[in-house]
Amino acid sequence: IASAGVKRSMDVLMYSAGGSAAGLSGGEGKRAAAGPAVHKHINQLIIQLDKLPDICALIQSRSTDFNAVNVATAWRILLTKTGRSHALRNDAAVKTAVELLGQATLCCISDFGPRQCSNTLHAIAKSSYILDEQVLGALVVRAEAKALEFNSQNIANTLWALATMGRAPPESLMDALVARAEAVSAEFNPQGIA
């Protein structure tokens, strides 16, 4: 159950978007028509939440309103809070939040930029979370599509994440990342090269 502060913030989100939660979500399976101000506010709220039940409640109530940045941020915060705890991962609210974030990822994957792709893969790998294969596959395909826009940090995060998960990148992704790494080689710091 979400805290009173989270409920107030969700009410502010609904009011600032000009409608109720039902009006914002656009119905089952549809993306919200929320604007940039709402997405920015959602992201600020995700970052400020420090209790796992509050994060899960926000994801459960607002994931249909998330844009690509909100989805990537929610993955990072949720997986950081659950850490490597098997007990937390088996919690019903966490399982529901993960499922909803997976659906949100698939709904807005075409809007994921280099940062969202690499940061989401990094958060998943860092937490050792075993993600639904469809969602993980979509992230890898999107990373390949955006690879020529990656900066050195995006390249390092993506390669580290795939290696940590024990997944060989598809040859086409590896070729694109190598070409991009050569183009941005002056940006790499010693940690990124390692």
Side-chain angles (χ1 to χ4, degrees):
I1 296 178
S3 70
V6 171
K7 287 180 183 177
R8 277 192 304 278
S9 293
M10 286 191 258
D11 289 343
V12 168
L13 281 173
M14 285 187 276
Y15 177 77
S16 66
S20 66
L24 280 176
S25 68
E28 191 69 28
K30 294 181 183 176
R31 298 305 304 157
V38 171
H39 290 136
K40 183 177 179 180
H41 189 77
I42 289 171
N43 223 56
Q44 291 169 343
L45 184 57
I46 294 168
I47 291 167
Q48 291 171 359
L49 295 176
D50 62 347
K51 295 179 182 166
L52 188 57
D54 291 343
I55 295 165
C56 292
L58 178 66
I59 292 167
Q60 289 174 16
S61 66
R62 301 304 299 227
S63 65
T64 58
D65 297 325
F66 286 5
N67 68 6
V69 173
N70 300 148
V71 170
T73 303
W75 275 120
R76 180 177 56 82
I77 298 297
L78 178 67
L79 295 176
T80 298
K81 295 294 180 193
T82 59
R84 295 176 186 241
S85 167
H86 293 292
L88 288 177
R89 291 179 187 189
N90 289 325
D91 179 80
V94 172
K95 285 183 176 183
T96 300
V98 166
E99 183 179 315
L100 290 170
L101 277 180
Q103 292 170 8
T105 301
L106 295 174
C107 283
C108 66
I109 193 71
S110 63
D111 295 328
F112 269 54
R115 187 173 183 180
Q116 289 79 43
C117 291
S118 64
N119 286 357
T120 302
L121 288 167
H122 187 269
I124 293 164
K126 187 175 179 181
S127 70
S128 300
Y129 205 90
I130 299 172
L131 193 61
D132 175 86
E133 197 59 38
Q134 184 181 11
V135 176
L136 189 56
L139 286 164
V140 170
V141 167
R142 186 62 180 168
E144 182 177 342
K146 301 304 280 183
L148 296 179
E149 299 174 31
F150 276 25
N151 64 27
S152 60
Q153 188 67 55
N154 302 144
I155 294 166
N157 283 354
T158 300
L159 290 174
W160 178 88
L162 293 172
T164 300
M165 289 187 276
R167 298 178 65 94
E171 188 174 333
S172 52
L173 173 58
M174 194 64 191
D175 290 346
L177 289 176
V178 166
R180 187 62 182 158
E182 289 172 355
V184 298
S185 60
E187 293 179 20
F188 279 98
N189 62 30
Q191 182 181 1
I193 293 171

